[in-house]
Amino acid sequence: MSSELADQAEETAKSEDGPPSPATGGDGRPGARGFTEALLDAVTSGNTVTVTVLAFLCAIFLGGLIIAFTNTTVLHAWGNLFSAPGKAFATAWDTAAGAYVAMFEGAIVNPHAVSAAFHGGPVSTVFNPLSETAVNATPIILTGLAVAVAFRAGLFNIGAASQFIGGAMIAGWIGFAVHLPFILHAAVAVAGGLVGGAVVGGAVGFLKARTGAHEVIVTIMSNYVMEYLLLYLLGLTAFRRPGNPNPISPPIATNAVLPHLFGSTLRVNVGFLIALAAAAAVWWVLNRTTIGFELRTVGSNPRAARSAGMSPERTWIVVMLLAGALAGLAGAAVVQGTNFNVAPQIYGTYTVDSITVALLGRASPTGTVLASLLFGALRAGGVTMQASTQVPVDIVTVIEALIVLFVAAPPLMRAVFRLREPRAGGGEQLEARGWGG
Amino acid sequence: MTVASASVVAARRTITVERRVVIGGLLVVLGLLDALVFGYLSPPGHAVFSFTLTGAAVSVPNLSVTPRPVCVALGALSCVIGAGYVGFRLSRIARRVAAGVCVAALAVAFLCWADAGRIPLPFTSLLSTTVDSAIPLMLGALSGCLCERSGVINVAIEGQLLTGAFGAAVVASAFGSIWLGLLAGPLCGVLIAALLGLFALRYRVDQIVLGIVLDLFASGITAYLYDAALVPFANRLNSPATFGAYKIPLLGDIPIVGPVLFDSTIFLYITYVAIFAVQVGLFSTRWGLRVRSVGEHPTAADTVGINVNATRWRNVLLGGAVAGIGGAYLTIGSVGAFGKTMSSGLGFIALAAMIFGRWTPLGGVAAALLFGFMTALSGVLGTINSPIPSDVLLMFPYVATIVAVAGLVGRGRPPKADGQPYIKT
């Protein structure tokens, strides 16, 4: 990608920025840029499309190197580098490319399935990869929104797992312990999940508003508190599957299962629609309501918000309730859409995934959805890759980490690809802050 | 010392009357908890504590107590101490001793209640497990102190522990030498620390985001390499020897104290050295003064000629090495073989311990021991068939940290410039 294009993209991003903001921060240190202001600049308009794309390519490239050079065949060929240099490079390329092709086939479309469908095979297998991508993306979209919406209010929500667990516990309990007719049961359980997540998230907001406890520390700790609470509950008779020694809840009632969208062979279910609807709702709240306006104002500058008669404390509570509700929905979507019970480790890696997609999507609902779909595809493809090429699925985690590492450091990407610096300095990356912010 | 700074120091050594009332009141509440909850609700029967480990040189007879009077006595003691706390201006050391005695009384009352009418509770082994499970936490907390006192937030302790554990196991196994493994652990911790330093100090990435991403990276890369290399070549790459316990002559034979503090692997002795070095280094040397000045006010430090970013780089790498030793303990100091995500949140408990200990080495170590005690206790309660669920005990470190940052027991104050990159103007 040319540097002119990059500059153009920077310009576009800048022009959407609005007027430059004053140089004093919300924390009153003269000269230091306020954290929330910098965060918003960084997350919403900072990283250009160029940097994001380059970061993705770099991560894929490094991931390919790791895949190639942990393969015994490749290492053997490189042992004979000087006698057969062509073979050394060819095996390395084949190994990495083979893994990525398998990943693509598992995430987007598998040509073999397409040709089989033309010759009378089942059509559903053609769409299975996309269905898996959507299934994997669903909880990431919802937890990602939970982080993104908090970002917009200047809060850093590292507690997606805790809120997810809150939602999963309530949704699961309603699912297996209550008996209601079809649709209504599923809806009540989803609503329960929403409330469960909101309670956990809201508690963080309340603590921050009342005592000033730093939300980063509180949310990190709340993840572990909720994980142990989940383990504790799964040990109680009320929550445990009868006759099963493992800590696992009874299966939820069939009435509480979220229906499949395209027949029972494809796993994609109503949960995906809930996620997309939630993204639309978040967009609407952020851009078309008074609460959203207050939220963004508090995120930009809490002191200005306060002098305009808004209450940052109230906004923190509201936004954490909202964030918790979104992550709680993710818990409900997983319990009712794919797992059908509550088990330990159900929260997966959503804490980090959610932060990653929110950063990648620049804290906008649309960006978060797109980034989540990408990560859903990586996850779905990773499973296929491991099955067909024996490359461990954990490489996906490495690639995710690398993407965010590179996205968070535009100067590195610019140095590697010799891009020009944007004309006006600052604002293009997530500025650092301390615990005190 | 100028008058102004002397008065600041004096202000930090005394506390306000309100705080005295709040903390003293809390100690009285703890005392009432001892007496009323644990004392009066304890089931009938004796609580028996056994002190002698098998093979000890000096054997100590088992102690059998009736829980109720003991709990009431401990509660009364806590109440008296609490009243004294409110009534008198105690010195800083006396305040800490008072709080420590009350917490210990609570722990003993709890143990009496939990063991009443059950099989003997192995007290010495409980303490010994406490210290052992606190080793990675103490080292992690020291790593956090080293970084954050210089103004760099280290949320990557978890990643440093994990890579340290991985490197130590692989190197010790591949070269057949645990000593090389002991060297490789800190080096792998330094690798993650170098990434932390590079992105935090050079590219000024938000350090909390960065720490989380590095934890993700470390867990991904070690899990990937585990599946790709350690599983197929388990014999060659993942079957390290482990360090045995080394009993210090004489000291190790002291009843109770000896087996707990002076009869352990080399990692415990390294931890002693590290605690001493970090505490004395940070607060009694020129190096420490410079580090702290960089963490509190980098501009001022720069003005007097201290190289801010070089100081931070040094501390970040040093912190990575310390946490890497903690990681090495997880493999070659205890179980041997590396397992996927084997640090399982220990890095975050270490972070919690450091915050709970108010960004001081000794505070962090004390918190790490408290959290280690909770872990050890959950195991021991399982062996004596106590009905208390272990999950609730394991939850304790995190709840305690939330309570601490919410300021209910006096809020810690991070270094002023913690997490803010320094840009020379």
Side-chain angles (χ1 to χ4, degrees), chain B residues 333-345:
Chain B
S334 96
V335 295
F338 178 81
K340 259 191 195 184
T341 62
M342 72 184 305
S343 54
S344 62

Side-chain angles (χ1 to χ4, degrees), chain A residues 27 29 35 39 63 66-68 70-72 151 156 158 207 211-214 216-218 220-222 224-226 228-233 235 349 352-353 355-356 359 379 386 391-395 397-398 400-402 404-406 408-409 411-412 415 429-436, chain B residues 148 153-155 158 195 198-199 202-210 212-214 216-217 219-225 227-229 233 340 344-346 348-349 351-352 354-355 359 389-392 394-395 397-399 401-402 405-408 411 414-421 423:
Chain A
D27 51 7
R29 256 192 313 279
F35 155 66
L39 183 80
I66 296 173
I67 292 171
T70 48
N71 181 303
T72 43
F151 259 143
F156 199 174
I158 312 187
L207 270 183
T211 70
H214 196 290
V216 169
I217 299 171
V218 175
I220 289 177
M221 299 308 150
S222 72
Y224 289 98
V225 172
M226 290 303 288
Y228 284 113
L229 182 65
L230 175 66
L231 279 177
Y232 171 67
L233 285 181
T349 54
V352 189
D353 293 348
I355 297 167
T356 317
L359 288 172
R379 299 265 146 176
Q386 181 166 19
V391 173
V393 68
D394 298 293
I395 193 70
T397 313
V398 177
E400 283 177 9
L402 290 174
V404 185
L405 206 52
F406 294 148
L412 175 69
Q429 88 180 82
L430 187 62
E431 291 263 330
R433 65 153 169 173
W435 291 121
Chain B
E148 308 221 356
I153 293 179
N154 187 3
V155 187
E158 175 85 0
L195 286 174
L198 180 73
F199 282 92
R202 173 113 192 245
Y203 296 117
R204 302 199 285 272
V205 175
D206 180 89
Q207 289 160 13
I208 296 170
V209 171
L210 181 59
I212 289 166
V213 170
L214 287 178
L216 180 72
F217 178 75
S219 85
I221 195 86
T222 53
Y224 173 81
L225 291 175
D227 276 343
F233 304 105
K340 259 191 195 184
S344 62
L346 286 178
F348 286 105
I349 306 190
L351 178 73
M354 187 216 49
I355 294 168
W359 284 266
S390 63
D391 300 315
V392 175
L394 293 174
M395 203 189 276
Y398 308 109
V399 176
T401 307
I402 292 177
V405 294
L408 302 184
R411 187 177 308 158
K416 184 129 191 270
D418 203 6
Q420 284 150 6
I423 305 161

Side-chain angles (χ1 to χ4, degrees), chain A residues 35-416:
Chain A
F35 155 66
T36 45
E37 185 193 332
L39 183 80
L40 271 192
D41 277 1
V43 176
T44 53
S45 64
N47 304 308
T48 62
V49 176
T50 327
V51 168
T52 311
V53 171
L54 288 178
F56 179 71
L57 293 180
C58 274
I60 289 286
F61 176 72
L62 284 179
L65 285 185
I66 296 173
I67 292 171
F69 287 96
T70 48
N71 181 303
T72 43
T73 327
V74 176
L75 288 177
H76 188 74
W78 277 74
N80 302 324
L81 177 65
F82 295 107
S83 54
K87 188 160 178 270
F89 284 98
T91 44
W93 170 263
D94 289 346
T95 309
Y100 284 132
V101 167
M103 201 185 266
F104 181 83
E105 288 175 356
I108 314 291
V109 66
N110 185 343
H112 302 297
V114 175
S115 68
F118 276 113
H119 295 92
V123 181
S124 68
T125 52
V126 176
F127 295 103
N128 192 50
L130 284 176
S131 156
E132 284 304 299
T133 294
V135 164
N136 277 288
T138 302
I140 306 183
I141 294 175
L142 287 165
T143 50
L145 288 170
V147 177
V149 81
F151 259 143
R152 296 299 284 270
L155 297 186
F156 199 174
N157 177 14
I158 312 187
S162 63
Q163 297 142 19
F164 180 98
I165 294 169
M169 284 189 321
I170 307 278
W173 186 81
I174 294 176
F176 67 73
V178 179
H179 297 286
L180 288 170
F182 183 63
I183 301 286
L184 184 67
H185 196 173
V188 168
V190 167
L194 186 144
V195 171
V199 168
V200 178
V204 175
F206 179 78
L207 270 183
K208 169 141 182 123
R210 285 300 296 271
T211 70
H214 196 290
E215 82 279 0
V216 169
I217 299 171
V218 175
T219 48
I220 289 177
M221 299 308 150
S222 72
N223 286 339
Y224 289 98
V225 172
M226 290 303 288
E227 282 169 29
Y228 284 113
L229 182 65
L230 175 66
L231 279 177
Y232 171 67
L233 285 181
L234 289 175
L236 297 180
T237 41
F239 240 89
R240 195 184 213 152
R241 187 176 297 193
N244 192 320
N246 298 319
I248 188 168
S249 81
I252 59 168
T254 41
N255 282 350
V257 170
L258 293 173
H260 287 285
L261 287 177
F262 305 106
S264 60
T265 48
L266 296 178
R267 286 208 301 158
V268 60
N269 56 60
V270 175
F272 185 61
L273 295 186
I274 294 178
L276 294 182
V282 167
W283 181 88
W284 183 78
V285 168
L286 280 178
N287 297 304
R288 292 284 182 275
T289 65
T290 317
I291 290 174
F293 178 71
E294 289 189 3
L295 195 155
R296 287 182 290 128
T297 313
V298 168
S300 313
N301 191 338
R303 290 159 106 209
R306 197 188 300 277
S307 57
M310 301 172 191
S311 158
E313 285 78 17
R314 200 181 68 98
T315 310
W316 287 334
I317 297 177
V318 169
V319 77
M320 283 311 295
L321 280 171
L322 184 59
L326 287 162
L329 277 181
V334 167
V335 168
Q336 299 175 252
T338 48
N339 284 31
F340 311 124
N341 59 48
V342 187
Q345 309 292 328
I346 195 174
Y347 45 86
T349 54
Y350 295 125
T351 305
V352 189
D353 293 348
S354 58
I355 297 167
T356 317
V357 294
L359 288 172
L360 205 55
R362 295 187 227 165
S364 83
T366 329
T368 305
V369 169
L370 291 178
S372 305
L373 288 173
L374 172 69
F375 275 41
L378 284 174
R379 299 265 146 176
V383 175
T384 315
M385 179 191 69
Q386 181 166 19
S388 62
T389 65
Q390 279 79 50
V391 173
V393 68
D394 298 293
I395 193 70
V396 170
T397 313
V398 177
I399 292 174
E400 283 177 9
L402 290 174
I403 293 177
V404 185
L405 206 52
F406 294 148
V407 164
L412 175 69
M413 288 291 99
R414 281 203 297 271
V416 170

Side-chain angles (χ1 to χ4, degrees), chain B residues 263-342:
Chain B
D263 184 7
S264 184
T265 58
I266 186 169
F267 287 95
L268 184 58
Y269 308 128
I270 294 177
T271 308
Y272 292 154
V273 175
I275 295 169
F276 180 79
V278 174
Q279 173 70 26
V280 172
L282 275 181
F283 295 104
S284 311
T285 67
R286 186 155 60 171
W287 169 80
L289 187 63
R290 289 181 175 181
V291 165
R292 286 181 291 131
S293 71
V294 162
E296 297 287 344
H297 204 316
T299 317
D302 193 9
T303 313
V304 296
I306 300 170
N307 187 336
V308 172
N309 277 337
T311 308
R312 287 183 172 174
W313 260 110
R314 267 201 301 277
N315 273 47
V316 167
L317 295 182
L318 201 59
V322 172
I325 298 173
Y329 167 77
L330 296 176
T331 50
I332 59 175
S334 96
V335 295
F338 178 81
K340 259 191 195 184
T341 62
M342 72 184 305

Side-chain angles (χ1 to χ4, degrees), chain B residues 47-370:
Chain B
V48 182
F49 299 102
S50 72
F51 296 103
T52 312
L53 296 174
T54 47
V58 185
S59 81
V60 182
N62 284 359
L63 177 67
S64 175
V65 296
T66 318
R68 194 168 293 176
V70 172
C71 290
V72 171
L74 289 168
L77 176 70
S78 287
C79 289
V80 170
I81 291 178
Y85 202 103
V86 178
F88 298 95
R89 293 176 79 119
L90 298 173
S91 72
R92 188 150 76 161
I93 292 167
R95 288 203 304 269
R96 289 194 184 162
V97 169
V101 167
C102 288
V103 170
L106 181 72
V108 172
F110 174 81
L111 289 177
C112 287
W113 169 71
D115 194 53
R118 296 177 194 280
I119 59 170
L121 187 139
F123 191 75
T124 309
S125 112
L126 171 67
L127 292 186
S128 159
T129 317
T130 297
V131 172
D132 282 347
S133 48
I135 289 175
L137 302 180
M138 291 191 276
L139 290 171
L142 290 177
S143 161
C145 265
L146 282 170
C147 290
E148 308 221 356
R149 278 294 177 153
S150 76
V152 180
I153 293 179
N154 187 3
V155 187
I157 301 173
E158 175 85 0
Q160 292 165 345
L161 287 177
L162 199 55
T163 47
F166 179 87
V170 171
V171 169
S173 180
F175 294 95
S177 158
I178 39 176
W179 293 100
L180 279 180
L182 184 57
L183 197 65
L187 283 180
C188 289
V190 166
L191 276 183
I192 296 290
L195 286 174
L196 178 69
L198 180 73
F199 282 92
L201 300 175
R202 173 113 192 245
Y203 296 117
R204 302 199 285 272
V205 175
D206 180 89
Q207 289 160 13
I208 296 170
V209 171
L210 181 59
I212 289 166
V213 170
L214 287 178
D215 289 335
L216 180 72
F217 178 75
S219 85
I221 195 86
T222 53
Y224 173 81
L225 291 175
Y226 177 80
D227 276 343
L230 264 49
V231 173
F233 304 105
N235 282 334
R236 244 170 62 204
L237 293 179
N238 198 17
S239 40
T242 53
F243 281 97
Y246 173 78
K247 186 197 269 187
I248 293 180
L250 293 178
L251 286 176
D253 286 327
I254 305 172
I256 305 175
V257 177
V260 173
L261 296 180
F262 304 110
D263 184 7
S264 184
T265 58
I266 186 169
F267 287 95
L268 184 58
Y269 308 128
I270 294 177
T271 308
Y272 292 154
V273 175
I275 295 169
F276 180 79
V278 174
Q279 173 70 26
V280 172
L282 275 181
F283 295 104
S284 311
T285 67
R286 186 155 60 171
W287 169 80
L289 187 63
R290 289 181 175 181
V291 165
R292 286 181 291 131
S293 71
V294 162
E296 297 287 344
H297 204 316
T299 317
D302 193 9
T303 313
V304 296
I306 300 170
N307 187 336
V308 172
N309 277 337
T311 308
R312 287 183 172 174
W313 260 110
R314 267 201 301 277
N315 273 47
V316 167
L317 295 182
L318 201 59
V322 172
I325 298 173
Y329 167 77
L330 296 176
T331 50
I332 59 175
S334 96
V335 295
F338 178 81
K340 259 191 195 184
T341 62
M342 72 184 305
S343 54
S344 62
L346 286 178
F348 286 105
I349 306 190
L351 178 73
M354 187 216 49
I355 294 168
F356 198 62
R358 303 193 195 179
W359 284 266
T360 61
L362 289 182
V365 165
L369 284 170
L370 181 63

